[in-house]
Amino acid sequence: MLKLIVCLKQVPIVTELPWDEQAGTLRRDLASGMMNLACLHALEAALQIKEQYSADILAITMGPPAAEEVLREAIALGADRGIHLCDRIFAGSDTYATSWMLARTIKQECPDYDLILCGSYTSDSETAQVGPQLAEELDLPAAAYIEKLEIHGRTLRVRRLVDNFRETLEMEFPALVTVSLENYKPRYAGLSGLEAAFDTGNIDRLNAADVGINKSAIETDGSRTKVRKVFLRKANKENILLTGTAANVVGDFLSKYESKISWAIGKDIEEDRNDE
Amino acid sequence: MMNSRQKSIWVFGDYRNYFQNRVTLQLISRAVDLSRIISAEVCAVILGHEIDEYIMEYTAHGADRIIAVDDPVLKNYNTELYVTLMEALVKERDPDIVLIGATDFGREFAPRMAKRLKTGLSADCVGLDVEADGLLIQTAPSFGGNMLAEIVTSRHRPQMATIRPGTFKEIPHNYERRSLVEKLPLMKNLPRPRIRLVEYERSVEKEHTIENAAVIVCGGRGMGNKKKFKKLNDLAKLLNGDVGATRPVVYAGWADHDALVGQAGKHIKPKILFSFGISGAIQHTAGLGEADFIIAVNKNPQATMMKMADVAIVGDTSDVLHTLIKELRKRIRD
Ligand SMILES: Cc1cc2nc3c(=O)[nH]c(=O)nc-3n(C[C@H](O)[C@H](O)[C@H](O)COP(=O)(O)OP(=O)(O)OC[C@H]3O[C@@H](n4cnc5c(N)ncnc54)[C@H](O)[C@@H]3O)c2cc1C
Ligand SMILES: Nc1ncnc2c1ncn2[C@@H]1O[C@H](COP(=O)(O)O)[C@@H](O)[C@H]1O
């Protein structure tokens, strides 16, 4: 039986705007956070492996108490169990620290894994660094941005498109991949599945001490980078407002910006000579 | 304090798509600016086989020194070998800063290298500055580009960053320039790579995904219905672009999930974005941080999307779309 580990992250909803197609309200259960999209793709890849071979899927997340939701969602979709790494001293970890903490947990809780699957990037920090750094921490062969994977015995074969090269790579288990958004379209959990997952006890919550991490370990192995400040991207836009009939606004727009459009599309746009 | 050691800023030579992607040259250029502030030298590191051309190019574009390892073993990019070589070189030479282009390869390779060297790395930077004491200020986007974060690695060296292509301007070439070229032999006892490259070919597919489209026509609920929404395809086709959509529209089945733009979907960076009938909820605009030039069409001039736009057209989506398509058909010369 294959042992798979999927690393999942809950990403915050940037702002909670009331929104619902019918009722005009925000669904409460979505308000705090959601599973990062690329992580859903990684989970989907694991679920497809499980459908094809016999496999056990362990979902791991590190995050605040609310992050447990992504483990329940994963279990509702077909993961077997979850580990929630949750401790205040983890807050503000950069990718260096995050990958170290995940690696420690994996070494302790599931050292006999065959394959670790991560998302390619998260929508909040967008570093795409945790996967490769986790592989380095565990000294694993790894491939990022994979679109497709096949398993032949103990050999993993992956396909990916990187920097305009279509590559097929092979490596032996244990290995790590980060899954791109190209393939492995995520399935969605039905409400009943979600409810059932809320009743299962298959989620372990571990704190720093449980995985042997204390303040002084964080001093030496923790974050390398520090965010000095966060600020809004400056809008240096002209914000020109065009009003009038469709013919007028389109005419105005094209005469002002045709060179811009022609630059973007790489074709000439000519002044219309025979105006009707 | 003694300060006899020559400071140095390294730029990793990512040459695989030299003609399409000039990020290495752009980084050399920025490194030259930064080097003046901290009196450092700019060194380009090139690993590969038959790389004389790049030694020449990086010199012509501003590098003071080139460290090159030229060996058939390095013919194809290989993360494991490259990390091991860079680790050895960095440990021997102790550069202050290492800059790497945020190509797919760079973003896979740099994190492992930083981890191996037990130092920090910031991802996909859109700005770099340096303080007089040598501290590198790395500006990186977060939340889909709506926010920027200033990141520093204060206690560990080298300071490492990957930088988004197109952030800096290359210095025009000067083939009279000379640099100090050091050709080093391949290290002995390299580990046998655990990853086998079974096959590879150059491909252009990726240029057709929405994340890489130069023109994107996005539609929202203000398109009215599925039939009208589909008209956006005509405009996209005319402009060699792709169609994007907001979440309600995807849920309503007017567009595929692939087309979803925003926090829960794709992050796009088109040169031109048309936004039709979209209010501009933050979950949607979180995916637009990198759009260069935005044209919004909305009947409500107060919509957030209209405030964010370079050009805000007040009007009915279908009317404007129809007229725009008609006019462009007349004017575009193939
Ligand atoms: C957890 C979560 C994640 C989300 N993720 C995303 C995401 O990734 N992407 C996303 O897009 N949304 C996302 N949303 C939804 C988001 O909050 C907004 O509800 C959505 O973006 C609104 O879509 P819209 O602009 O098409 O519709 P609306 O907000 O209804 O706006 C329609 C606009 O069209 C204009 N209009 C109407 N009729 C016409 C007409 N005839 N002519 C001209 N203008 C007209 C109106 O003035 C209005 O401004 C998310 C929400 C949540 C809670
Ligand atoms: N806190 C976390 N807990 C579990 N997995 C994570 C965490 N952060 C990042 N990851 C994994 O690393 C991937 C890339 O994240 P990032 O480097 O933040 O872009 C995610 O898709 C996850 O698979």
Side-chain angles (χ1 to χ4, degrees):
Chain A
M1 183 157 82
L2 288 170
K3 291 208 166 183
L4 310 178
I5 295 176
V6 190
C7 293
L8 304 174
K9 186 177 180 192
Q10 187 179 51
V11 290
I13 289 170
V14 189
T15 303
E16 298 170 13
L17 289 190
W19 173 78
D20 182 279
E21 277 157 306
Q22 269 100 44
T25 52
L26 181 73
R27 278 177 54 200
R28 280 258 143 250
D29 55 332
L30 290 176
S32 53
M34 60 179 193
M35 193 179 324
N36 177 53
L37 185 67
C39 295
L40 268 173
H41 281 73
L43 178 61
E44 178 62 32
L47 293 170
Q48 290 189 20
I49 294 172
K50 185 174 169 177
E51 281 163 3
Q52 215 180 338
Y53 311 91
S54 99
D56 176 79
I57 302 177
L58 167 63
I60 300 184
T61 192
M62 181 179 101
E68 191 177 301
E69 286 166 24
V70 300
L71 298 179
R72 298 209 182 275
E73 190 178 340
I75 290 172
L77 288 167
D80 296 281
R81 62 192 179 102
I83 291 179
H84 181 193
L85 202 55
C86 182
D87 198 309
R88 255 188 222 155
I89 66 170
F90 296 150
S93 296
D94 70 358
T95 63
Y96 189 94
T98 301
S99 54
W100 167 64
M101 291 156 179
L102 290 173
R104 272 204 87 106
T105 309
I106 290 170
K107 281 185 202 158
Q108 178 178 312
E109 298 294 318
C110 184
D112 55 344
Y113 59 85
D114 297 298
L115 179 63
I116 299 175
L117 301 102
C118 290
S120 49
Y121 69 91
T122 54
S123 64
D124 57 342
S125 61
E126 248 196 290
T127 73
Q129 288 177 183
V130 170
Q133 295 205 317
L134 180 58
E136 184 63 32
E137 191 78 57
L138 294 167
D139 191 23
L140 295 174
Y145 311 112
I146 67 123
E147 288 173 12
K148 207 152 182 51
L149 55 79
E150 283 167 36
I151 293 166
H152 304 282
R154 300 285 302 160
T155 303
L156 175 70
R157 173 182 275 232
V158 301
R159 283 175 49 81
R160 64 178 187 172
L161 188 56
V162 286
D163 295 326
N164 292 328
F165 283 85
R166 175 152 289 298
E167 296 183 343
T168 304
L169 303 167
E170 274 185 3
M171 63 200 97
E172 306 302 315
F173 287 147
L176 181 147
V177 292
T178 80
V179 179
S180 84
L181 301 181
E182 288 308 313
N183 197 2
Y184 295 116
K185 296 274 166 319
R187 63 192 77 187
Y188 288 94
L191 209 54
S192 58
L194 269 175
E195 271 163 14
F198 269 85
D199 300 331
T200 62
N202 286 350
I203 294 177
D204 287 327
R205 186 188 283 197
L206 304 178
N207 64 24
D210 294 332
V211 292
I213 292 176
N214 57 27
K215 267 229 160 67
S216 80
I218 285 186
E219 284 287 301
T220 47
D221 292 313
S223 299
R224 266 35 183 172
T225 59
K226 212 172 73 200
V227 174
R228 284 219 303 203
K229 66 175 188 204
V230 173
F231 51 100
L232 265 175
R233 179 181 282 270
K234 264 205 300 292
N236 48 356
K237 304 208 173 256
E238 273 188 82
N239 193 235
I240 292 170
L241 194 73
L242 299 178
T243 55
T245 64
N248 283 341
V249 288
V250 168
D252 277 2
F253 168 68
L254 287 178
S255 56
K256 256 206 187 90
Y257 296 105
E258 63 184 7
S259 60
K260 186 133 204 150
I261 298 177
S262 106
W263 162 75
I265 67 177
K267 286 184 191 173
D268 282 345
I269 295 183
E270 285 174 14
E271 196 66 57
D272 186 28
R273 284 152 309 180
N274 41 328
D275 230 6
E276 298 131 307
Chain B
M1 205 178 82
M2 221 175 60
N3 208 350
S4 57
R5 193 181 66 90
Q6 163 81 66
K7 277 201 159 84
S8 112
I9 303 178
W10 284 16
V11 175
F12 176 78
D14 188 346
Y15 51 79
R16 187 160 65 167
N17 286 306
Y18 185 80
F19 294 102
Q20 298 91 36
N21 190 338
R22 315 277 283 184
V23 66
T24 307
L25 302 183
Q26 294 157 7
L27 294 185
I28 290 174
S29 159
R30 188 60 184 166
V32 167
D33 297 339
L34 301 178
S35 72
R36 299 213 170 100
I37 299 168
I38 56 169
S39 12
E41 68 165 13
V42 174
C43 170
V45 182
I46 314 176
L47 311 178
H49 186 43
E50 294 171 346
I51 48 181
D52 285 348
E53 184 183 353
Y54 308 113
I55 296 178
M56 186 181 83
E57 291 292 337
Y58 294 164
T59 302
H61 287 273
D64 302 314
R65 180 190 295 266
I66 306 278
I67 295 179
V69 183
D70 187 335
D71 194 285
V73 168
L74 303 175
K75 183 165 165 284
N76 294 310
Y77 277 24
N78 179 307
T79 317
E80 289 178 290
L81 288 182
Y82 280 33
V83 169
T84 305
L85 289 171
M86 287 302 281
E87 177 196 13
L89 291 172
V90 166
K91 283 188 170 155
E92 186 189 303
R93 307 289 181 105
D94 199 18
D96 299 89
I97 294 170
V98 179
L99 305 178
I100 297 172
T103 58
D104 290 341
F105 176 77
R107 296 191 70 177
E108 179 179 29
F109 156 76
R112 287 196 83 136
M113 176 178 159
K115 188 90 206 188
R116 184 80 63 89
L117 291 165
K118 301 191 188 321
T119 190
L121 171 69
S122 60
D124 215 17
C125 291
V126 294
L128 289 176
D129 290 287
V130 73
E131 292 182 347
D133 62 358
L135 188 68
L136 184 69
I137 314 301
Q138 308 150 38
T139 306
S142 64
F143 290 115
N146 280 6
M147 308 285 280
L148 293 174
E150 235 180 60
I151 298 167
V152 293
T153 301
S154 17
R155 299 207 322 264
H156 297 84
R157 291 293 176 273
Q159 306 168 81
M160 288 182 60
T162 63
I163 294 90
R164 181 170 301 184
T167 300
F168 302 112
K169 254 205 163 68
E170 67 189 64
I171 303 170
H173 64 77
N174 167 7
Y175 291 110
E176 309 288 294
R177 272 194 95 252
R178 289 291 161 258
S179 67
L180 203 75
V181 178
E182 292 184 63
K183 290 193 173 178
L184 304 179
L186 189 68
M187 241 172 93
K188 290 193 188 67
N189 312 323
L190 273 178
R192 210 170 66 90
R194 294 170 292 185
I195 300 208
R196 299 180 290 281
L197 184 60
V198 179
E199 57 184 28
Y200 73 101
E201 58 180 348
R202 199 176 266 283
S203 149
V204 287
E205 288 164 68
K206 193 132 193 180
E207 282 156 19
H208 298 297
T209 70
I210 184 167
E211 283 115 316
N212 292 287
V215 178
I216 293 176
V217 182
C218 256
R221 200 141 46 163
M223 288 310 297
N225 60 41
K226 184 169 180 172
K227 192 159 159 250
K228 290 181 178 171
F229 185 91
K230 291 289 176 202
K231 278 265 171 204
L232 295 170
N233 288 325
D234 296 351
L235 180 59
K237 216 183 241 150
L238 212 50
L239 300 174
N240 295 338
D242 280 329
V243 171
T246 62
R247 199 170 79 161
V249 155
V250 170
Y251 278 14
W254 301 356
D256 263 7
H257 194 270
D258 278 355
L260 179 64
V261 171
Q263 187 189 353
K266 305 277 168 71
H267 293 186
I268 56 175
K269 41 179 192 293
K271 291 176 180 161
I272 295 191
L273 170 69
F274 286 92
S275 173
F276 280 90
I278 294 176
S279 59
I282 185 120
Q283 293 89 352
H284 175 70
T285 59
L288 309 180
E290 308 301 320
D292 238 22
F293 188 77
I294 302 177
I295 303 112
V297 181
N298 199 308
K299 63 181 182 191
N300 174 11
Q302 303 304 324
T304 311
M305 202 59 233
M306 296 285 270
K307 308 266 184 210
M308 273 182 68
D310 296 87
V311 181
I313 298 180
V314 185
D316 177 73
T317 47
S318 293
D319 285 354
V320 174
L321 179 62
H322 177 78
T323 314
L324 187 59
I325 292 172
K326 200 176 81 186
E327 287 302 317
L328 281 170
R329 283 217 171 108
K330 283 196 257 170
R331 298 182 191 211
I332 291 182
R333 306 275 174 253
D334 277 299

